[in-house]
């Protein structure tokens, strides 16, 4: 599988060269998240959206969305169909892995399998829903989010419902995925990242112990499964 990280900037005002575009990952001809309209110009065979926040689905607030490209997400919206089980596109098996993130919208990551390669793209989350965790093992690569460098990230509770929402920290994600993944790629970088780019990259990459941890840049290309 050829993996192209199209955009690495979180839902923030600030940006920097190499981190200007919002979420999007192209795996061969299938797109995961569409944080920028221009990603559709790549003419993917299908689009899988992790959740209906604007930095992952540019059209949720106001933009007209008419496309003949099939779109899937954790819940129905406009031309987006709700995904409940594995979908096959172009020899690729795509399985939703429900996550916890927002109290307003549903969210899921996607397990992407092709040939012998297994990749997980999580989108935003504070955790993977417990009963789906057994879908996650023997991963070649996890692409996950970097909103917060501090342990625990930022998870708030709604004062009325008591329900949590937010993002966990990069150290928690690295700890969770290290036993099951060879490589962890951090994207969706939060504002903390931009004060000193080189130092921030080092802080993230130093978290790697058994798994290699790297920081994505807009346009970065990675390969999985070729030399298996
Ligand atoms: Zn986001
Ligand atoms: Zn979000």
């Amino acid at each position: 599988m050829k993996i192209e990280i199209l955009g690495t900037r979180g839902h923030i005002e600030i940006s920097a060269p190499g981190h200007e575009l919002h979420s999007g990952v192209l795996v061969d001809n299938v797109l995961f998240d569409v944080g920028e309209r221009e990603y559709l110009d790549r003419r993917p065979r299908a689009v899988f959206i992790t959740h209906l926040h604007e930095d992952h689905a540019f059209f949720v607030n106001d933009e007209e969305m008419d496309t003949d490209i099939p779109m899937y997400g954790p819940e129905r919206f406009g031309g987006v169909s709700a995904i409940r089980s594995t979908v096959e596109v172009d020899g690729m098996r795509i399985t939703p892995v429900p996550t916890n993130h927002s109290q307003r919208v549903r969210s899921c990551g996607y397990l992407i399998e092709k040939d012998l390669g297994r990749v997980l793209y999580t989108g935003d989350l504070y955790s993977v829903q417990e009963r789906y965790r057994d879908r996650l093992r023997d991963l070649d690569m996890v692409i996950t989010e970097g909103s917060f460098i501090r342990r625990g990230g930022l998870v708030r509770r709604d004062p009325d419902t008591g329900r949590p929402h937010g993002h966990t920290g990069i150290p928690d994600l690295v700890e969770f995925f290290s036993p099951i993944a060879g490589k962890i790629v951090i994207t969706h970088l939060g504002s903390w990242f931009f004060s000193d780019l080189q130092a921030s990259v080092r802080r993230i990459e130093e978290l790697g112990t058994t798994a290699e941890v790297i920081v994505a840049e807009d346009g970065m290309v990675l390969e999985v499964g070729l030399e298996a």
Side-chain angles (χ1 to χ4, degrees), residues 45-121:
R45 294 288 302 268
V47 179
F48 292 80
I49 291 165
T50 58
H51 62 298
L52 295 168
H53 281 166
E54 192 180 18
D55 58 317
H56 302 257
F58 70 86
F59 52 85
V60 291
N61 290 330
D62 42 32
E63 287 201 55
E64 282 281 305
M65 182 62 183
D66 60 28
T67 176
D68 52 352
I69 302 170
M71 313 226 318
Y72 301 88
E75 60 195 315
R76 252 183 77 159
F77 178 87
V80 179
S81 324
I83 184 170
R84 293 280 167 260
S85 54
T86 301
V87 171
E88 295 207 26
V89 183
D90 246 359
M92 188 183 289
R93 287 168 50 83
I94 297 136
T95 305
V97 180
T99 54
N100 297 307
H101 168 49
S102 163
Q103 47 174 356
R104 299 227 175 87
V105 299
R106 290 169 177 271
S107 57
C108 68
Y110 293 101
L111 175 64
I112 305 155
E113 298 170 284
K114 190 177 181 185
D115 303 327
L116 293 174
R118 287 163 61 83
V119 172
L120 176 73
Y121 171 55

Side-chain angles (χ1 to χ4, degrees), residues 7-212:
T8 56
R9 176 183 168 199
H11 199 189
I12 50 175
E13 290 298 318
I14 194 170
S15 73
H19 306 286
E20 273 159 327
L21 302 175
H22 291 114
S23 290
V25 179
L26 193 61
V27 182
D28 291 344
N29 293 318
V30 178
L31 178 62
F32 295 86
D33 278 341
V34 58
E36 308 283 347
R37 175 183 278 278
E38 67 193 60
Y39 297 163
L40 295 176
D41 298 343
R42 303 292 293 265
R43 299 297 305 163
R45 294 288 302 268
V47 179
F48 292 80
I49 291 165
T50 58
H51 62 298
L52 295 168
H53 281 166
E54 192 180 18
D55 58 317
H56 302 257
F58 70 86
F59 52 85
V60 291
N61 290 330
D62 42 32
E63 287 201 55
E64 282 281 305
M65 182 62 183
D66 60 28
T67 176
D68 52 352
I69 302 170
M71 313 226 318
Y72 301 88
E75 60 195 315
R76 252 183 77 159
F77 178 87
V80 179
S81 324
I83 184 170
R84 293 280 167 260
S85 54
T86 301
V87 171
E88 295 207 26
V89 183
D90 246 359
M92 188 183 289
R93 287 168 50 83
I94 297 136
T95 305
V97 180
T99 54
N100 297 307
H101 168 49
S102 163
Q103 47 174 356
R104 299 227 175 87
V105 299
R106 290 169 177 271
S107 57
C108 68
Y110 293 101
L111 175 64
I112 305 155
E113 298 170 284
K114 190 177 181 185
D115 303 327
L116 293 174
R118 287 163 61 83
V119 172
L120 176 73
Y121 171 55
T122 68
D124 298 353
L125 74 168
Y126 68 81
S127 63
V128 174
Q129 288 188 16
E130 202 144 346
R131 68 182 132 134
Y132 299 100
R133 289 182 190 173
D134 58 0
R135 291 185 181 173
L136 308 179
R137 61 197 134 70
D138 303 329
L139 301 170
D140 297 289
M141 182 184 291
V142 173
I143 303 163
T144 190
E145 63 131 317
S147 298
F148 294 100
I149 190 66
R150 62 168 177 267
R151 187 166 283 277
L154 182 60
V155 182
R156 290 200 171 105
R157 273 182 194 279
D158 182 277
D160 299 325
T161 63
R163 287 175 60 194
H165 56 98
H167 305 257
T168 189
I170 302 171
D172 308 87
L173 291 165
V174 169
E175 213 167 85
F176 181 75
F177 288 118
S178 284
I180 49 175
K183 190 176 212 156
I184 300 171
V185 179
I186 306 295
T187 182
H188 193 279
L189 298 156
S191 46
W192 74 272
F193 181 82
F194 291 82
S195 53
D196 182 341
L197 296 185
Q198 283 184 343
S200 299
V201 167
R202 268 201 312 277
R203 276 183 84 181
I204 292 180
E205 295 187 346
E206 279 169 7
L207 295 170
T209 52
T210 56
E212 183 192 6

